[in-house]
Amino acid sequence: MVFAKGLNKQRKRRNDYNNLAGYAFISPWLIGFILFTVVPIGASFVLSFTQYDLLSPPKWVGLENYKTMFLHDERYISALKATFSYVFVAVPLRLIFALFIAVLLVRDRKMVSVYRAAFYIPSLIGGSVAVAVMWRQLFGVNGALNSVLIELGIIDKGIGWIGNPHTAMWTLILLAAWQFGSPMLIFIAGLKQIPTSYYEAAYIDGANTWQRFTKITMPLLTPIIFFNFIMQTISGFMAFTESYLITQGGPFDKTLFYALYLFEKAFKFYEMGYGCAMAWVLLLIIGVFTALIFKSSNYWVYYESKGEW
């Protein structure tokens, strides 16, 4: 009995020591997470109810920032419209391109790795200043696109695609669609997990290419589509670089993305309280859309392990 109690104490002491060593090893990450993530998040929530210009102490204004946002700020409504338009068009377009290219590149062919890398590169450099400058030159009045269209006789003179309120958003959407490399690689990984025996059986039964794609590939790929849809939707709502570098939100706020307007309010006009309120509303919007997508997944995502839709 005495020996058993001594053994238990020794085991408990060893477990406590292991737990203490584990906490000691992860303490740098925990301290950094609390200081640079939890505390700023809590501070931004409190500041969203204040008027704060970074230079003077915050002044409590209650829900005034939120009221102003929805009732008196026309630019905020413009930012919402531009962001929703961008997300609803750019995200499906990017996923369709990514899936199309993934289907073409899933088979092992000569130099297929080179093609995959070539298509993935735009995703790596898409947010860079160099790409923004290139995009401005491409769609400028004297850009390559106008030169091609003039040579083909489609237009008589150059068009300022970025400065035109009707086409400016489409230049950013095209840039987003061009950056389909990340979802493409995930689609390729998903396509490689589909057993080839399914396609062989369908081929023997007389199914054509389209039937094999719609009856085998798409159902088994829905979990991957679901994942890409979630990630790209969240990324779309947080889009900032394209609007900031290429159009600066213009013309007439037609490309004023939510994140860009938040940045202007917080760091250009020094309305930090208002910017914090905008950030929390953006979090709420993303949360609602993410929840809706998760809820809808019961009707269109197929999990092979469950054997049901």
Side-chain angles (χ1 to χ4, degrees), residues 68-105:
T68 303
M69 199 183 302
F70 291 104
L71 301 178
H72 306 294
D73 191 347
E74 294 183 358
R75 293 196 74 201
Y76 177 79
I77 303 301
S78 298
L80 275 180
K81 290 179 180 177
T83 305
F84 277 110
S85 301
Y86 176 79
V87 171
F88 289 159
V89 179
V91 171
L93 203 60
R94 177 185 291 181
L95 292 181
I96 291 171
F97 270 112
L99 180 58
F100 177 72
I101 300 298
V103 171
L104 294 179
L105 299 181

Side-chain angles (χ1 to χ4, degrees), residues 16-38:
D16 291 341
Y17 174 78
N18 290 335
N19 290 334
L20 188 63
Y23 284 120
F25 276 112
I26 65 171
S27 59
W29 182 88
L30 277 178
I31 293 171
F33 177 72
I34 293 172
L35 288 180
F36 300 111
T37 303
V38 176

Side-chain angles (χ1 to χ4, degrees), residues 75-145:
R75 293 196 74 201
Y76 177 79
I77 303 301
S78 298
L80 275 180
K81 290 179 180 177
T83 305
F84 277 110
S85 301
Y86 176 79
V87 171
F88 289 159
V89 179
V91 171
L93 203 60
R94 177 185 291 181
L95 292 181
I96 291 171
F97 270 112
L99 180 58
F100 177 72
I101 300 298
V103 171
L104 294 179
L105 299 181
V106 69
R107 294 181 181 177
D108 292 330
R109 296 186 177 92
K110 191 176 181 180
M111 296 181 67
V112 70
S113 299
V114 176
Y115 291 124
R116 289 173 186 168
F119 283 116
Y120 182 65
I121 286 176
S123 293
L124 296 177
I125 62 173
S128 67
V129 176
V131 169
V133 173
M134 181 197 73
W135 217 250
R136 290 181 67 88
Q137 293 296 325
L138 189 64
F139 289 93
V141 177
N142 299 316
L145 179 62

Side-chain angles (χ1 to χ4, degrees), residues 1 14 80-81 112 117 148 166 178 185-186 248 289 296 302:
M1 188 69 178
R14 189 185 303 118
L80 275 180
K81 290 179 180 177
V112 70
V148 173
H166 301 292
W178 180 58
L185 288 183
I186 298 174
Q248 289 83 46
F289 270 86
S296 70
Y302 174 78

Side-chain angles (χ1 to χ4, degrees), residues 176-242:
W178 180 58
Q179 300 167 328
F180 57 81
S182 295
M184 178 199 70
L185 288 183
I186 298 174
F187 277 137
I188 290 176
L191 289 169
K192 284 182 172 293
Q193 298 302 314
I194 300 176
T196 56
S197 58
Y198 293 177
Y199 295 106
E200 293 169 356
Y203 181 78
I204 293 173
D205 287 341
N208 57 34
T209 304
W210 177 250
Q211 288 172 326
R212 292 197 296 272
F213 178 76
T214 55
K215 301 299 182 182
I216 298 176
T217 303
M218 286 300 290
L220 294 180
L221 205 60
T222 49
I224 306 299
I225 297 174
F226 171 66
F227 173 78
N228 271 335
F229 190 33
I230 289 282
M231 299 305 294
Q232 295 303 321
T233 300
I234 295 174
S235 175
F237 276 113
M238 296 192 301
F240 169 78
T241 310
E242 301 89 339

